[in-house]
Amino acid sequence: DTETTLQEKVLYRYYKTHDKITIHIIAVIYLIFALGIFIIPSDILSRCEACRGFVNFMKQYFPNIQIFSDVSPFKQEIEFYTSYMWVIGLILAVELAFYVTCQYIMFVDEDANTNENIKNISFFGLLFYFGLGVFGIKVYYTGYIVTNGVTFMARHFKIDFATKFEIFQYIFLFQAAFSTSVYFIFLLIYVSYYKFSNRKNRSDQI
């Protein structure tokens, strides 16, 4: 009917403009919220009961909030900051999951590039995406970046969130990595499904 057709058109327009427009808008919004660490009052949890209740609620589900607070001199700021960045990051993760669903489920038959991507991703590529996804989720959610540090290019970095810039830098990066990892997990599921289906169809034809 007309309503269904209109919804499909809106979804298809969202999908086709995602990489050119939508993702840039999301990136700007994400950056604005990420810069919030520089204006959060040092006593925000002491003087704001709602903020304290919000942080206590988030701590029940995200262990990295307390872990980050334990090593940083900016106790209240980092707890509130990490908590609300989790909300922003989860919204971003849902948006990316929805986008990849549009790409590989809803409009896969209408996009030649997507079909080509499915053919070109190898088994080892799928394993890489899986490993990257699990790693990105684990190191941030569990607080691994603080308890074990980060190794990059043969250099080991100890993260203790000693400055607000360090808080901004690492949480901005790893929260985004977490959200992107959700994208990779969904990508893995959808591409694996298509590869398995195609292989099964070829076997049935033989």
Side-chain angles (χ1 to χ4, degrees):
D1 57 12
T2 306
E3 184 177 351
T4 302
T5 303
L6 179 61
Q7 290 176 349
E8 289 178 350
K9 286 182 178 179
V10 171
L11 283 176
Y12 188 71
R13 182 172 179 78
Y14 154 81
Y15 164 62
K16 294 303 289 184
T17 60
H18 186 272
D19 292 342
K20 296 178 182 178
I21 300 175
T22 309
I23 197 64
H24 293 98
I25 296 173
I26 291 171
V28 170
I29 294 173
Y30 181 78
L31 176 60
I32 291 171
F33 276 101
L35 289 169
I37 184 60
F38 297 107
I39 61 172
I40 296 175
S42 60
D43 60 346
I44 186 169
L45 301 184
S46 299
R47 68 183 190 182
C48 178
E49 185 177 349
C51 297
R52 188 166 60 252
F54 167 65
V55 168
N56 288 336
F57 171 78
M58 295 296 286
K59 280 183 176 181
Q60 298 177 57
Y61 302 98
F62 303 101
N64 64 330
I65 297 173
Q66 186 61 56
I67 293 170
F68 292 173
S69 175
D70 289 342
V71 299
S72 176
F74 303 95
K75 304 292 185 185
Q76 297 192 29
E77 299 101 306
I78 198 170
E79 286 189 13
F80 181 69
Y81 180 68
T82 307
S83 296
Y84 85 66
M85 284 299 289
W86 262 119
V87 175
I88 302 302
L90 290 172
I91 293 173
L92 175 59
V94 169
E95 194 281 330
L96 290 173
F98 180 68
Y99 169 68
V100 77
T101 300
C102 289
Q103 186 178 19
Y104 287 94
I105 297 295
M106 295 180 178
F107 304 116
V108 65
D109 295 328
E110 301 175 34
D111 195 327
N113 290 332
T114 299
N115 282 285
E116 194 64 28
N117 288 340
I118 293 173
K119 293 178 183 177
N120 292 336
I121 297 177
S122 66
F123 174 74
F124 293 105
L126 292 175
L127 287 178
F128 172 78
Y129 284 128
F130 177 75
L132 191 64
V134 171
F135 178 76
I137 291 171
K138 176 189 174 183
V139 296
Y140 186 67
Y141 175 79
T142 63
Y144 183 91
I145 60 172
V146 165
T147 57
N148 293 77
V150 176
T151 301
F152 181 73
M153 300 292 287
R155 294 183 60 188
H156 188 75
F157 299 88
K158 179 178 174 56
I159 299 176
D160 56 10
F161 298 119
T163 67
K164 286 197 172 184
F165 181 78
E166 187 177 358
I167 294 172
F168 162 76
Q169 172 182 270
Y170 286 113
I171 292 182
F172 173 86
L173 175 64
F174 283 99
Q175 183 68 70
F178 175 92
S179 302
T180 306
S181 296
V182 174
Y183 170 89
F184 284 131
I185 295 295
F186 274 80
L187 175 68
L188 166 73
I189 294 170
Y190 294 148
V191 173
S192 298
Y193 167 76
Y194 280 112
K195 284 186 174 292
F196 176 78
S197 298
N198 290 338
R199 181 174 296 181
K200 185 176 184 301
N201 290 336
R202 287 196 299 268
S203 299
D204 292 340
Q205 290 174 0
I206 295 173

